[in-house]
């Protein structure tokens, strides 16, 4: 892991970094971490898992990171998922991508192939996220032992839910826009508070499958936020909703 | 309608009032309205519909009213539902109460009888709420044309959902803990933003029935908040969630 660039804009310092290929992923994973300008001392960290078509510095990721930094004083960090953000398409995606292309051409729902590709993405990406997280927590402007949240829906949940199930440093997670078929086992192992976003008319994830995944989550505190509209139509007020969820669960670490 | 008592405690003025029996309800409906001490000029009003076992000045209603008044500067008002809070049991409840008593004695879910009694409660109570609302909006510390919210779950939704469907002065509603069997028709007529609370393990309202009622709501903006636990286990953080919902939808009326 190494930093490769640093810029500060409007009170937010952005550091780009690289996670060297590990555990079978041949290419490096580009990442970015944002913090208040001049920050030192411990603060909560929120990991941001982008969706399909996104990447670690996609405008939607940047906007969310900026709100966490300027509104809450947190640090935020994102990684490019394998096959996104300029990373080469892993050969394991081949059959799924062919199926997804075919379904798209026929105007059919992608749910199943989309979910099964997500399993492969998680296998590749979870070790990268865990390595990056350990390294980020060693930075003195985040700090070991700081509370860690995860926010990611759709592809961000395909990777983030197994990540949150495997990584005990993650203490709260906003997930959603995925179904239960490929994720129920990991969901049952979750113990941290979860806010789960579901789109009532999701054309990618059938409603019953999303409800079943919420049902499968093992955490004692889990809260479902469902709204009308399709996969990409999560209403803007849920952005503030996620911030309040993290405010409840990521109490700032004690100074010093 | 007439005021019968006024007290001010810790910055909140409470006025008790009476809605004289109308439209077939032979007895008067006791009510209470809370506002900031010394308030004059228009402000949003939130109507608070109590649940079964509650009444207009139940501690849970008082606590919520106080938050709206001191936190948001709103007025809040509540009425005793027919048959609650010392009001005589309407004879129309007789067969339902007998059935509910029998089901309770057998430890069975109350859903159906509970819902059908709610239909009768709404027929009796909706005219009382509408009369009270018109009169309250004439008070110069609330004001005609002020935005009006409704908050009520369980019995508060059995009455409040038909009320919100019938009363165009209501501009946003928090509802929940009821099923679709008796309320789907009124739900389809709703047009105002709705936040709907559902308990995932509700022993009174089957999960699928609650989800079907959310589905039936006609409003373009509706948001479902579902949480683990039984009928009485709505988590405390939903109190603040409802406040933010009203903050989004009950913009203060212009002064003057």
């Amino acid at each position: 892991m190494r930093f490769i660039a640093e810029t500060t804009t409007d009170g937010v310092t952005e550091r780009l970094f690289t996670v060297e290929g590990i555990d079978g992923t041949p290419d490096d994973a580009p990442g970015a971490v944002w913090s208040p300008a001049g920050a030192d001392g411990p603060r909560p960290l929120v990991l941001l898992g982008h969706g399909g078509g996104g990447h670690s510095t996609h405008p939607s990721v940047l906007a969310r990171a900026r709100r966490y930094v300027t509104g809450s004083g947190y640090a935020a960090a994102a990684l490019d998922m394998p096959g996104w953000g300029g990373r080469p398409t892993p050969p394991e995606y081949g059959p799924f991508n062919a199926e997804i292309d075919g379904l798209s051409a026929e105007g059919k729902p992608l749910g199943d192939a989309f979910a099964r590709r997500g399993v492969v993405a998680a296998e590749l990406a979870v070790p990268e996220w865990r390595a990056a997280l350990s390294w980020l927590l060693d930075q003195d402007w985040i700090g070991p032992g700081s509370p860690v949240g995860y926010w990611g829906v759709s592809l961000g949940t395909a990777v983030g839910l197994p990540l949150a199930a495997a990584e005990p440093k993650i203490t709260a997670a906003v997930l959603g826009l995925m179904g239960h078929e490929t994720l129920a086992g990991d969901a049952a192992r979750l113990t941290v508070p979860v806010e789960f976003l579901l789109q009532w008319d999701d054309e990618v994830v059938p409603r019953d499958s999303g409800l079943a995944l919420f049902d499968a989550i093992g955490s004692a505190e889990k809260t479902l936020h469902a709204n009308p509209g399709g996969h990409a139509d999560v209403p803007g007020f849920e952005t503030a909703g996620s911030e309040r969820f993290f405010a409840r669960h990521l109490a700032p670490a004690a100074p010093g």
Side-chain angles (χ1 to χ4, degrees), chain A:
Chain A
M1 250 81 58
R2 57 190 175 87
F3 288 116
I4 56 176
E6 177 177 326
T7 55
T8 295
T9 310
D10 295 337
V12 178
T13 296
E14 175 184 86
R15 294 175 174 90
L16 303 181
F17 62 90
T18 297
V19 181
E20 280 83 16
I22 51 173
D23 281 15
T25 312
D27 64 313
D28 296 349
V33 56
W34 300 271
S35 56
D40 60 4
R43 70 198 61 253
L45 168 67
V46 180
L47 305 176
L48 301 175
H50 67 77
H55 56 82
S56 61
T57 55
H58 187 277
S60 67
V61 177
L62 289 176
R64 191 174 300 274
R66 177 167 285 278
R67 288 184 63 136
Y68 290 146
V69 170
T70 62
S72 306
Y74 299 161
L79 284 187
D80 285 356
M81 302 290 194
W84 277 271
R87 298 183 67 180
T89 301
E92 298 92 327
Y93 290 1
F96 305 115
N97 284 350
E99 188 177 347
I100 288 169
D101 290 347
L103 291 167
S104 294
E106 297 171 41
K108 291 183 178 168
L110 313 181
D112 191 45
F114 174 76
R116 285 181 286 118
R117 184 182 62 188
V119 173
V120 178
E123 288 168 357
L124 298 172
V126 165
E128 298 175 345
W129 282 89
R130 297 189 71 179
L133 175 57
S134 285
W135 177 71
L136 289 167
L137 291 173
D138 281 340
Q139 309 305 315
D140 61 11
W141 34 274
I142 300 178
S146 285
V148 178
Y150 180 90
W151 188 100
V153 297
S154 192
L155 174 66
T157 283
V159 171
L161 193 153
L163 172 63
E167 177 51 74
K169 295 188 179 81
I170 294 177
T171 52
V174 178
L175 303 167
L177 305 188
M178 285 296 293
H180 82 287
E181 286 81 359
T182 56
L183 292 169
D186 283 321
R189 283 187 281 279
L190 288 173
T191 58
V192 298
V194 172
E195 185 165 280
F196 191 90
L197 302 177
L198 182 146
Q199 288 297 102
W200 205 243
D201 312 296
D202 194 321
E203 73 283 9
V204 177
V205 182
R207 185 187 301 166
D208 286 348
S209 180
L211 290 171
L213 182 53
F214 174 71
D215 191 46
I217 292 170
S219 309
E221 183 180 329
K222 56 182 181 179
T223 188
L224 172 70
H225 286 194
N227 294 288
H231 195 72
D233 300 331
V234 176
F237 58 75
E238 293 294 357
T239 303
S242 298
E243 288 167 357
R244 290 185 297 263
F245 172 80
F246 286 129
R248 288 208 302 279
H249 295 294
L250 303 184

